[in-house]
């Protein structure tokens, strides 16, 4: 890829299907392997993106995941039109979750999604408005 080129990927995340959740991050992982991105970067992207997909299903009713791969960084934008995050600082605390009991019974909702997304990103931003949705933007450099 030249400095002015990028690879753009777009995925619709189904907000009602835990079975297909994670397919976008798996496809991105395959794409990154195929173009020779370093393994550690692939791992970070996979974790951050999977956590985001799960959050979109649990809290956002699904949404759109967009990934853009550049020469030295990968930008991930996850956008939903769900209920939004009322208190972002609280939502960023490890262990805090608004997941329902039935979601927890499925093994999700441990309150590590947003903290892990931030941990594995070099740049991390949340834009959220209650009643309108949330957009998370992550950049992972390599």
């Amino acid at each position: 890829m030249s400095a002015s080129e990028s690879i753009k990927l777009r995925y619709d995340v189904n907000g009602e299907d835990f079975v297909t959740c994670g397919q976008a991050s798996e496809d991105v992982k395959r794409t990154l392997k195929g173009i020779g991105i370093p393994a550690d970067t692939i791992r970070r992207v996979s974790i951050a993106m999977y956590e985001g997909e799960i959050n979109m299903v649990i809290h956002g009713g699904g949404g759109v995941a967009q990934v853009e791969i550049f020469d030295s960084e990968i930008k991930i934008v996850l956008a939903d039109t769900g209920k939004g995050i009322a208190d972002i600082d609280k939502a960023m605390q490890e262990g805090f979750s608004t997941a329902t009991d039935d979601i927890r019974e499925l093994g999700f909702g441990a309150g590590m999604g947003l903290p892990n997304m931030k941990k594995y990103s070099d740049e991390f931003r949340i834009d959220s408005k209650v009643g309108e949705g949330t957009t998370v933007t992550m950049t992972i450099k390599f």
Side-chain angles (χ1 to χ4, degrees):
M1 274 184 297
S2 72
S4 62
E5 294 178 353
S6 67
I7 297 171
K8 295 179 182 179
L9 307 169
R10 184 187 184 284
Y11 305 92
D12 292 317
V13 178
N14 184 340
E16 299 177 5
D17 191 355
F18 282 98
V19 175
T20 61
C21 189
Q23 287 182 345
S25 53
E26 278 297 316
D27 186 67
V28 170
K29 181 179 180 178
R30 270 190 303 280
T31 300
L32 295 176
K33 281 183 180 179
I35 60 173
I37 300 298
D40 181 60
T41 301
I42 294 171
R43 180 180 162 277
R44 292 172 61 213
V45 168
S46 297
I47 293 168
M49 189 160 170
Y50 180 77
E51 293 283 14
E53 282 183 82
I54 289 292
N55 276 1
M56 290 171 78
V57 172
I58 292 172
H59 305 289
V64 175
Q66 297 182 83
V67 178
E68 192 164 7
I69 306 162
F70 298 95
D71 282 341
S72 60
E73 68 182 27
I74 299 158
K75 183 176 181 178
I76 303 165
V77 179
L78 307 170
D80 68 56
T81 55
K83 60 187 175 188
I85 301 171
D87 187 338
I88 292 174
D89 289 335
K90 196 170 194 177
M92 290 301 301
Q93 294 175 11
E94 291 185 9
F96 176 80
S97 178
T98 59
T100 61
D101 288 341
D102 50 328
I103 296 296
R104 292 174 196 269
E105 287 174 13
L106 294 173
F108 302 105
M112 292 304 296
L114 289 173
N116 277 339
M117 291 164 72
K118 183 175 182 180
K119 175 182 177 180
Y120 291 104
S121 300
D122 293 301
E123 297 172 11
F124 178 83
R125 188 178 85 226
I126 299 176
D127 297 302
S128 189
K129 192 165 190 177
V130 174
E132 293 185 20
T134 301
T135 299
V136 175
T137 304
M138 298 176 282
T139 302
I140 298 165
K141 300 175 188 255
F142 59 95

